[in-house]
């Protein structure tokens, strides 16, 4: 139930749905308007009339795909109808954009008449560079795609068929390599006769499986020559001349089982009866035909893949369609043909056999991957997939004559693809996965807050952290029920906890010479301050980190932390850091929240601590100490303070890339930075240290609200143990992000 609420909240919060249209040209002045619309727009219209290919030059057609569906086969949910399928089509658009920077309009057609769908797509051809058919049931989907490929001059691709086929075929090639079997010698059984099963079988045959060695089954058993019941022309293509009549019979002695059917369709007995070193692709979603645990429980020589992200070897269509369309669009292909599909298969298979870089391992919580039984297909978040599949598709399109705009310089094309990838989109997932590799106990001082409770559910479900909630136990339990949360985490109620007296005595020991009596300490612990209680949990080792501040003022979270945990020895202050995530870049800003008018010493501390935190997040720090002066261009006490801070940083951290004093634009604009050839900073800074709280606080808020940056923080630096501050406006996602950062902070102590 909680997952359901989380999904509904995800889709309904803020702007409804998952997509929006953003203008790519300015429209701020009357002159802009006259160019965007009348009269200026007449010029590209006339140019396109004279030369239709100019549509790719003057409009978005060349990077625009239609995701077309009638909702008759939505995920594993069946015929939900066009409207109910819209969230899936929007989601498809998000994946196109996220993985290949392709724009999408989702088109839901309220008809089950295949000829009407064909006609609609044909009428849309002037608008789009390609069409992705989605969630249309078989056998109509076969007919629709066949007719569109015959009649249209842009790529048409039914991902439910070919996406799964391409990914599992790549995995099959690698699995066969590991078990030293030749594809022409294997016997393969396909359970399922729908769109994806049909395409998987066809592509396996195209790769070398002998048709006589291919057995397909549906709900009525083996599809054999002469069978009448439940047949159609598309099943007839795979009717085998065989004595097998049941899936169980066909599985005996088989080398490969492809499952595109339903949960539990493959039994342990079937697995036991297969040939040595069997290969099983149990691709039913959300639950596979047989789980890896069940298969490995029967025999140890099995290689298994599923559609699930929580198991190795995930057959995930997102490894295919974004990059297939990227390559097809970039050469203005008129079709996606069999040769292009096979090119994608071989590109994915080859990539999985290459050494996996650390960046991919970091994106999955530092899990190490190498070619073998548990890694036969690349990971969806591997950025190299774009660089392997899109060029392979483009090259195959050129080789087969369907490319209308061939790529003259393939190395340059690769560079263009690589430059389109930004680390900013992956940064939080990388941090979250790092946290998941070794989750820590994070205590929340405001455990009764609805958003804290919902965030705790996410943290538990994803294995990011081990939440501890502080608050009234009955109230928290009641809120969990109200929110339909199935959350089993420790709840600490200071009013009756057996630890309260111990914490009060320890607080008295820490603060007895700073104005607190034992009775006051007891009152603080029992009733007055849950922040004190949470910090004491961290101090006593009962929790690893604290998050607080969702419904309190900033000082109310920091003050108890300083009183109980204190700042690191040798530091003059604690400092605040914000991570600002833009579409293409990530910047870290400090101090944005704590020190009002820092000294040169405090500025140096801020820079060093910020660099250490950024390094913990597996990002190489490059520090700019900001001022209104560029390297001595203005002689003023404020600029001299920053100049002295730079000297201190270089003395204390000689290996750190740091420069200043410098103006903000010099720090982040390569052309301006290039003018200072003596600068140690050769590429734009990613850590910006502000000369005072005024400038830092103002800047991060403007960047967040006007610049479109996602602000993650504040990250509190310089404490003896990790404490981080939430903001009153934080949503569930913000809280989850901060918890992940807190866990990573603990991991690096």
């Amino acid at each position: 139930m909680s997952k359901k609420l989380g999904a509904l909240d995800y889709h309904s919060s803020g702007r409804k749905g998952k997509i929006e249209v953003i203008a790519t040209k300015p429209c701020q002045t009357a002159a802009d308007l006259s160019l965007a619309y009348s009269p200026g727009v007449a010029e590209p219209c006339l140019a396109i009339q004279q030369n239709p290919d100019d549509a790719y030059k003057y409009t978005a057609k060349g990077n625009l795909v239609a995701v077309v569906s009638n909702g008759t086969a939505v995920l594993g949910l069946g015929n939900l109808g066009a409207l109910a399928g819209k969230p899936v089509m929007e989601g498809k658009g998000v994946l196109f954009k996220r993985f290949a920077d392709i724009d999408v309009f989702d088109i839901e057609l309220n008809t089950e008449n295949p000829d009407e769908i064909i006609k609609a797509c044909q009428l849309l051809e002037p608008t789009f560079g390609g069409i992705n058919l989605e969630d249309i049931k078989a056998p109509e989907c076969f007919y629709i795609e066949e007719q569109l490929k015959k009649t249209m001059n842009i790529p048409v691709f039914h991902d439910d068929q070919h996406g799964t086929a391409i990914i599992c075929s790549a995995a099959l090639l690698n699995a066969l390599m590991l078990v030293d079997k030749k594809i022409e010698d294997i016997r393969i059984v396909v359970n399922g006769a729908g769109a994806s099963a049909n395409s998987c079988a066809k592509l396996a045959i195209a790769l070398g499986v002998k048709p006589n060695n291919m057995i397909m089954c549906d709900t009525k058993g083996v599809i054999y020559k002469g069978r009448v019941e439940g047949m159609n022309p598309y099943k007839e293509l795979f009717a085998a001349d065989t004595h097998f009549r049941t899936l169980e019979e066909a599985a005996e002695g088989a080398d490969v089982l492809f499952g595109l059917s339903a949960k539990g369709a493959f039994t342990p007995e079937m697995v036991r009866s297969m040939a040595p070193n069997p290969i099983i692709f149990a691709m039913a979603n959300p639950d596979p035909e047989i789980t890896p645990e069940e298969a490995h429980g029967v025999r140890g020589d099995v290689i298994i893949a599923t559609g699930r992200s929580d198991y190795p070897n995930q057959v995930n269509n997102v490894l295919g369609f974004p990059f297939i369309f990227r390559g097809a669009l970039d050469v203005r292909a008129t079709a996606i043909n069999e040769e292009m599909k096979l090119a994608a298969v071989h590109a994915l298979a080859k990539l999985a056999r290459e050494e996996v870089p650390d960046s991919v391992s970091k994106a999955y919580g530092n899990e190490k991957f190498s070619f073998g039984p548990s890694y036969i297909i690349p990971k969806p978040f591997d950025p190299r997939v774009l660089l392997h599949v899109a060029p392979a598709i483009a090259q195959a399109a050129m080789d087969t004559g369907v490319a209308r705009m061939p790529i003259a310089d393939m190395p340059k094309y690769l560079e263009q693809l690589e430059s389109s990838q930004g680390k900013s989109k992956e940064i939080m997932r990388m941090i979250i996965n790092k946290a998941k590799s070794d989750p820590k106990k994070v205590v929340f001082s405001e455990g009764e807050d609805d958003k804290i409770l919902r965030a705790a559910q996410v943290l538990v479900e994803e294995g990011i952290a081990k939440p501890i909630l502080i608050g009234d136990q009955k109230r928290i339990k009641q809120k969990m029920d109200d929110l339909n949360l199935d959350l089993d985490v420790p709840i600490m109620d200071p009013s009756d906890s057996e630890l309260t007296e111990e914490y009060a005595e320890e607080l008295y020991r820490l603060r007895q010479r700073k104005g607190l009596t034992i009775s006051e300490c007891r009152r603080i612990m029992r009733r007055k301050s849950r922040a004190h209680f949470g910090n004491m949990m961290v101090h006593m080792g009962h929790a690893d980190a604290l998050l607080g501040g969702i419904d309190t003022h900033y000082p109310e979270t920091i003050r108890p932390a300083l009183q109980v945990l204190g700042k690191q020895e040798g530091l003059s202050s604690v400092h605040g850091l914000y991570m600002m995530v833009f579409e293409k870049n990530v910047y870290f800003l400090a101090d944005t929240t704590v020190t009002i008018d820092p000294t040169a010493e405090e500025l140096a501390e801020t820079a060093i601590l910020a660099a250490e935190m950024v390094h913990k997040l597996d990002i190489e720090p490059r520090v700019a100490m900001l001022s209104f002066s560029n390297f001595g261009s203005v002689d003023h006490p404020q600029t001299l303070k920053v100049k002295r801070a730079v000297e201190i940083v270089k003395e204390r951290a000689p290996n750190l890339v740091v420069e200043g004093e410098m103006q903000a634009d010099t720090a982040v604009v390569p052309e301006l930075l290039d003018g200072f050839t003596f600068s140690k900073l050769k590429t734009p800074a990613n850590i910006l240290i502000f000369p005072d709280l005024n400038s830092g606080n103002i800047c991060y808020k403007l960047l967040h609200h006007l610049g479109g940056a996602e602000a993650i923080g504040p990250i509190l630096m310089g404490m003896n143990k990790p404490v981080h501050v939430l903001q009153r406006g934080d949503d569930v996602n913000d809280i989850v992000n901060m918890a992940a950062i807190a866990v990573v902070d603990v991991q690096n102590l």
Side-chain angles (χ1 to χ4, degrees):
M1 191 65 175
S2 60
K3 289 184 178 180
K4 174 183 176 181
L5 286 175
L8 293 175
D9 181 67
Y10 172 85
H11 286 80
S12 63
S13 61
R15 184 187 289 266
K16 310 309 178 190
K18 301 188 288 290
I19 57 174
E20 65 176 323
V21 177
I22 299 175
T24 61
K25 302 294 186 294
C27 192
Q28 305 296 326
T29 66
D32 292 339
L33 184 60
S34 70
L35 292 171
Y37 199 56
S38 182
V41 75
E43 296 304 322
C45 290
L46 293 171
I48 293 168
Q49 183 188 36
Q50 293 296 316
N51 179 17
D53 278 350
D54 277 355
Y56 290 92
K57 182 177 181 180
Y58 297 120
T59 76
K61 177 182 173 72
N63 196 54
L64 191 61
V65 167
V67 173
V68 178
S69 177
N70 67 349
T72 51
V74 179
L75 299 176
L77 304 174
N79 188 348
L80 300 185
L83 184 59
K86 184 173 175 62
V88 178
M89 307 316 132
E90 286 189 357
K92 200 81 172 187
V94 171
L95 297 180
F96 267 108
K97 189 66 176 177
R98 161 64 181 79
F99 288 98
D101 195 25
I102 292 172
D103 298 315
V104 162
F105 289 149
D106 59 293
I107 309 291
E108 291 77 34
L109 300 174
N110 191 25
T111 179
E112 294 191 18
N113 184 327
D115 290 314
E116 290 183 341
I117 295 172
I118 291 167
K119 186 62 175 178
C121 290
Q122 291 169 335
L123 293 173
L124 289 170
E125 184 166 353
T127 303
F128 295 99
I131 289 181
N132 183 100
L133 300 172
E134 190 75 16
D135 289 356
I136 302 172
K137 69 181 177 71
E140 289 88 342
C141 61
F142 305 130
Y143 169 66
I144 291 168
E145 187 188 41
E146 287 170 0
Q147 294 304 308
L148 291 178
K149 289 173 73 173
K150 289 178 183 177
T151 59
M152 297 187 72
N153 206 34
I154 59 175
V156 177
F157 185 80
H158 185 204
D159 186 50
D160 297 323
Q161 291 184 61
H162 311 302
T164 302
I166 287 167
I167 313 310
C168 76
S169 293
L172 176 63
L173 291 180
N174 283 338
L176 291 173
M177 182 179 293
L178 289 170
V179 300
D180 195 24
K181 292 183 180 181
K182 295 180 179 179
I183 196 166
E184 61 268 24
D185 296 334
I186 64 170
R187 183 160 66 81
I188 183 169
V189 177
V190 179
N191 191 47
S196 55
N198 181 289
S199 190
C200 285
K202 281 184 177 178
L203 202 53
I205 290 171
L207 286 168
V209 174
K210 293 178 180 177
N212 289 339
N213 287 340
M214 173 77 69
I215 302 293
M216 181 176 284
C217 302
D218 60 11
T219 56
K220 301 184 185 304
V222 171
I223 296 172
Y224 57 89
K225 288 188 182 299
R227 200 184 95 171
V228 177
E229 187 180 10
M231 294 295 287
N232 61 49
Y234 302 99
K235 291 183 184 180
E236 196 67 48
L237 293 172
F238 300 99
D241 186 5
T242 178
H243 64 276
F244 298 136
R245 291 296 180 266
T246 67
L247 174 60
E248 290 81 3
E249 292 173 359
E252 185 174 354
D255 297 285
V256 179
L257 287 182
F258 273 5
L260 300 123
S261 50
K263 175 183 178 181
F266 296 157
T267 66
E269 289 72 22
M270 292 181 198
V271 176
R272 190 177 290 112
S273 73
M274 293 177 70
N277 301 306
I279 298 165
I280 300 173
F281 290 174
M283 295 175 281
N285 268 318
D287 298 303
E289 284 82 358
I290 189 169
T291 67
E293 294 94 337
E294 292 169 327
H296 288 301
V298 174
R299 54 195 299 174
D301 61 346
V302 64
I303 294 178
I304 184 167
T306 73
R308 293 268 294 263
S309 62
D310 52 347
Y311 290 126
N313 299 328
Q314 183 191 15
V315 178
N316 191 327
N317 283 23
V318 79
L319 283 167
F321 67 84
F323 316 109
I324 291 167
F325 270 97
R326 179 74 279 156
L329 291 173
D330 289 342
V331 295
R332 296 185 192 170
T334 58
I336 295 173
N337 56 33
E338 292 303 307
E339 292 84 356
M340 293 162 74
K341 296 173 196 173
L342 290 171
V345 170
H346 289 291
L348 285 169
K350 180 176 181 293
L351 176 57
R353 298 193 295 269
E354 294 182 3
E355 184 177 349
V356 182
D358 289 342
S359 60
V360 176
S361 294
K362 288 175 182 177
Y364 288 87
N366 287 320
E367 184 179 353
K368 298 299 181 183
F369 303 109
S370 61
F371 181 56
S374 295
Y375 181 74
I376 57 175
I377 196 71
K379 292 291 184 179
F381 281 95
D382 188 335
R384 301 173 301 160
V385 178
L386 172 67
L387 308 180
H388 281 67
V389 177
I393 291 292
Q395 187 64 56
M398 292 187 287
D399 292 343
T400 56
V402 298
R404 288 182 293 175
M405 192 181 71
I407 295 170
D409 189 339
M410 191 59 75
K412 186 175 181 180
Y413 175 57
L414 277 167
E415 290 178 6
Q416 292 171 350
L417 290 174
E418 193 167 19
S419 67
S420 71
Q421 295 179 323
K423 194 173 183 180
S424 61
K425 295 178 181 179
E426 287 78 37
I427 183 69
M428 275 316 305
R429 179 48 55 185
M430 183 184 74
I431 292 171
I432 285 171
N433 282 320
K434 186 171 183 179
K436 290 167 68 173
S437 69
D438 186 18
K440 301 296 183 180
K441 292 181 286 187
V442 178
V443 60
F444 292 88
S445 55
E446 296 131 326
E448 298 172 13
D449 184 270
D450 288 4
K451 289 188 286 188
I452 296 292
L453 291 170
R454 288 161 57 207
Q457 179 83 31
V458 175
L459 295 172
V460 170
E461 287 181 348
E462 294 198 18
I464 298 168
K466 301 173 182 178
I468 302 171
L469 306 174
I470 298 178
D472 182 279
Q473 187 159 12
K474 290 183 178 178
R475 189 172 299 140
I476 290 175
K477 291 286 189 183
Q478 182 59 53
K479 285 206 168 188
M480 288 181 183
D481 290 340
D482 294 342
L483 295 169
N484 292 300
L485 299 178
D486 182 18
L487 188 57
D488 182 17
V489 297
I491 299 172
M492 305 300 297
D493 189 340
S495 64
D496 64 4
S497 172
E498 60 184 18
L499 296 173
T500 301
E501 180 61 26
E502 179 185 353
Y503 288 175
E505 291 176 0
E506 177 64 11
L507 181 62
Y508 178 62
R509 186 187 69 78
L510 294 172
R511 307 295 297 179
Q512 60 186 335
R513 293 185 178 273
K514 297 182 180 179
L516 286 184
T517 65
I518 184 63
S519 60
E520 177 66 11
C521 288
R522 289 187 178 114
R523 188 174 71 85
I524 289 172
M525 283 299 157
R526 290 192 182 279
R527 294 186 297 275
K528 183 178 179 182
S529 175
R530 291 172 179 173
H532 276 87
F533 192 95
N535 278 284
M536 192 59 71
M537 290 190 72
V538 177
H539 172 68
M540 299 294 283
H542 299 143
D544 299 307
L546 177 137
L547 284 184
I550 195 73
D551 62 3
T552 59
H553 293 293
Y554 192 80
E556 293 176 38
T557 302
I558 293 182
R559 191 177 298 113
L562 289 170
Q563 291 174 352
V564 175
L565 300 173
K567 60 181 183 291
Q568 294 175 16
E569 186 176 351
L571 295 184
S572 58
S573 180
V574 294
H575 308 266
L577 176 74
Y578 261 96
M579 181 165 67
M580 310 299 293
V581 183
F582 293 86
E583 184 176 356
K584 296 293 184 183
N585 294 295
V586 178
Y587 296 97
F588 297 85
L589 279 54
D591 181 345
T592 48
T593 56
V594 181
T595 310
I596 297 174
D597 188 15
T599 64
E601 175 79 18
E602 289 171 328
L603 278 179
E605 284 181 2
T606 302
I608 293 171
L609 288 170
E612 290 175 352
M613 175 57 71
V614 170
H615 187 73
K616 289 179 183 180
L617 303 178
D618 292 323
I619 298 172
E620 196 62 33
R622 302 185 304 275
V623 183
M625 310 286 282
L626 301 183
S627 175
F628 60 87
S629 167
N630 263 331
F631 304 106
S633 62
V634 179
D635 190 6
H636 185 276
Q638 288 293 324
T639 64
L640 294 175
K641 177 181 76 170
V642 179
K643 182 178 181 180
R644 176 56 188 149
V646 175
E647 294 170 353
I648 296 171
V649 173
K650 289 183 175 180
E651 291 168 4
R652 296 183 182 175
N655 294 324
L656 179 62
V657 177
V658 58
E659 267 300 352
E661 82 287 10
M662 62 198 308
Q663 295 176 1
D665 53 352
T666 303
V668 298
V669 178
E671 292 79 8
L672 296 177
L673 188 60
D674 289 345
F676 300 94
T677 56
F678 58 83
S679 172
K680 191 175 180 181
L681 195 63
K682 299 302 182 183
T683 55
N686 54 14
I687 301 175
L688 307 178
I689 307 299
F690 291 86
D692 54 46
L693 184 60
N694 268 330
S695 55
N697 191 270
I698 291 168
C699 181
Y700 102 76
K701 289 186 175 179
L702 287 176
L703 287 175
H704 177 45
H705 293 288
L706 300 182
E710 180 183 359
I712 300 173
I715 302 166
L716 200 57
M717 306 180 298
M719 297 296 301
N720 266 326
K721 293 188 177 181
V723 174
H724 297 296
V725 185
L726 301 172
Q727 299 292 289
R728 290 191 171 194
D730 282 350
D731 60 21
V732 172
N733 190 56
D734 296 324
I735 298 166
V736 170
N737 287 343
M738 285 302 299
I741 289 172
V743 170
V744 172
D745 200 3
V746 175
Q747 290 173 347
N748 286 272
L749 289 178

